[in-house]
Amino acid sequence: MKTEFLSENSAERAAKILKSGGIVAIPTETVYGLAASVYDKNAIKAIFTAKGRPSDNPLIVHISDLKDIENVVSEFPKNAKKLAEKFWPGPLTMIMPKNPKIPKEVTGGLNSVAVRYPSHEVARKIIALAGVPLVAPSANTSGKPSPTKFEHVVNDLNGKVNAIVDGGECAVGLESTVVSTLSDIPKILRPGKISAEDIKSVVGAVEIDKAIFEKPPESEKVLSPGMKYKHYSPDTPIKMVVGDTHRYVNFVNLHGGEDVGALCFDEDIPFLKVPYISYGSANDTSAQSKNLFEALREADKLGVKTLYAHYKETDSLSLAVYNRLVRAAAFNVIKV
Ligand code: TXA
Ligand code: MG
């Protein structure tokens, strides 16, 4: 397939391709998404094929106006309404009861549906012009880090999708917070920029799914099917190292040899004796969030056999960074 490269001023063209059954990668404020009409089962199938994604992993439905919600859900729970008022449009996805009009291919057979109202202008324009809600999983090959730049999408999906829209760099850099509003107390299934504290401040209470912290056992039914797959992995095996600058660099230098590299913070750089990539300052979780996926993609270019990734808890965005990193490390965590 020949992939069209579109500029961010080509929303009309992107919408036209979507309307005629194509799949188009589009920028959002979190990461790039691979979009198709929510009602087009063939296009949805093409998304799973292009990504190499397991078909039981459900897709997020993206809207460009709050009034579209009635076609997507069968009920708009009270807490979801409150959260929508505060955080939409923005990097928050809410799980709600599914409207029967939404095909089962979208939700992997679940009775619930994930809904997101992005704040990115180009994304919203494309959804509005397409005239239907759009499904959009992250526009990466399944198992690879989500794309935060046009080039990442081109690397993974050139020749496999109808078009890719270049919207530059994604502002947040990690995927949206996913929160289930199916029970009285909302439950975070995937941490993101909208934090547990943010959600609690609006609805009074929030739970965090234990799968965020623990390696899910193969057999257990997980609430968010995406959590059970190994995620965000570069080819180089990663071990996550938790500790301050001094302890981290000592550990890495001591274990350093030709085959070891560091995925580190800016502050570590002057002391490291091994090849490194930094993903931001230890105290700047916004920078970490924006840079992490690109750093994971770059990590393979270091040509090392083990990568020690530095993690430090700093603020409420740290959980989102931790969640992606611990999965990239397949839950190998070393405390120093
Ligand atoms: O920021 C984002 O959310 C990006 C941009 C493109 O919008 N999209 C994204 O989609 O990250 P994806 O497909 O890569 O991740 C969606 C996650 C998966 O972990 C999936 O299992 C979960 O949301 N999910 C989708 N529908 C669900 C449902 N009905 N119940 C529970 N989890 C669901
Ligand atoms: Mg994804």
Side-chain angles (χ1 to χ4, degrees), residues 18 21-23 35-37 39-49 135:
L18 289 162
I23 57 175
S37 159
Y39 302 118
D40 190 328
K41 293 182 189 175
N42 285 329
I44 289 167
K45 222 170 159 186
I47 285 183
F48 283 97
T49 307
V135 294

Side-chain angles (χ1 to χ4, degrees), residues 230 232-243 248 251-252 255-256 259-265 268 274 277 279 292 296 299-300 304-312 322 324-336:
K230 191 178 170 206
Y232 317 115
S233 321
D235 295 330
T236 314
I238 290 189
K239 291 183 176 148
M240 182 166 149
V241 181
V242 186
Y248 171 76
F251 177 88
V252 173
H255 291 78
D259 290 345
V260 167
L263 179 61
C264 64
F265 294 133
D268 305 327
V274 301
I277 296 175
Y279 70 107
L292 179 62
L296 288 174
D300 286 332
V304 296
K305 293 213 176 87
T306 305
L307 201 62
Y308 288 114
H310 195 180
Y311 170 78
K312 180 178 152 267
Y322 172 84
R324 288 9 176 237
L325 209 46
V326 82
R327 279 168 174 70
F331 289 87
N332 277 300
V333 181
I334 302 162
K335 294 206 169 73
V336 292

Side-chain angles (χ1 to χ4, degrees), residues 275-293:
Y276 63 83
I277 296 175
S278 169
Y279 70 107
S281 162
N283 302 314
D284 186 350
T285 50
S286 293
Q288 292 168 26
S289 148
K290 192 166 173 170
N291 299 331
L292 179 62
F293 285 150

Side-chain angles (χ1 to χ4, degrees), residues 53 138 140 146 231:
R53 179 176 173 114
S138 50
N140 53 295
S146 293
H231 247 113

Side-chain angles (χ1 to χ4, degrees), residues 28 30-34 51 53 57-60 62 93 95 106-107 110 112-114 116 136-140 146 174-176 178 189-190 223-227 231:
T28 83
T30 54
V31 300
Y32 278 76
L34 180 55
K51 280 181 59 74
R53 179 176 173 114
N57 192 1
L59 306 175
I60 297 175
H62 295 65
T93 295
I95 312 291
V106 171
T107 59
L110 297 172
S112 61
V113 62
R116 175 154 129 72
S138 50
N140 53 295
S146 293
L174 296 179
E175 308 90 338
S176 61
V178 176
L189 308 183
R190 180 175 73 183
L223 283 181
S224 183
M227 301 291 268
H231 247 113

Side-chain angles (χ1 to χ4, degrees), residues 171-301:
V172 177
L174 296 179
E175 308 90 338
S176 61
T177 306
V178 176
V179 61
S180 171
T181 61
L182 298 174
S183 317
D184 284 344
I185 300 181
K187 187 180 219 179
I188 295 181
L189 308 183
R190 180 175 73 183
K193 185 171 165 59
I194 308 292
S195 68
E197 288 86 341
D198 292 335
I199 291 171
K200 198 173 165 196
S201 73
V202 174
V203 294
V206 67
E207 286 174 3
I208 302 179
D209 189 26
K210 69 176 186 341
I212 287 171
F213 304 102
E214 293 166 18
K215 189 174 183 171
E218 290 302 320
S219 57
E220 195 179 308
K221 195 170 177 291
V222 285
L223 283 181
S224 183
M227 301 291 268
K228 73 183 176 202
Y229 306 109
K230 191 178 170 206
H231 247 113
Y232 317 115
S233 321
D235 295 330
T236 314
I238 290 189
K239 291 183 176 148
M240 182 166 149
V241 181
V242 186
D244 64 18
T245 305
H246 182 71
R247 285 171 180 272
Y248 171 76
V249 293
N250 276 347
F251 177 88
V252 173
N253 288 337
L254 202 66
H255 291 78
E258 270 174 29
D259 290 345
V260 167
L263 179 61
C264 64
F265 294 133
D266 295 345
E267 292 81 352
D268 305 327
I269 294 173
F271 310 107
L272 281 169
K273 297 189 179 114
V274 301
Y276 63 83
I277 296 175
S278 169
Y279 70 107
S281 162
N283 302 314
D284 186 350
T285 50
S286 293
Q288 292 168 26
S289 148
K290 192 166 173 170
N291 299 331
L292 179 62
F293 285 150
E294 161 134 305
L296 288 174
R297 282 177 180 261
E298 291 295 310
D300 286 332
K301 297 182 188 160

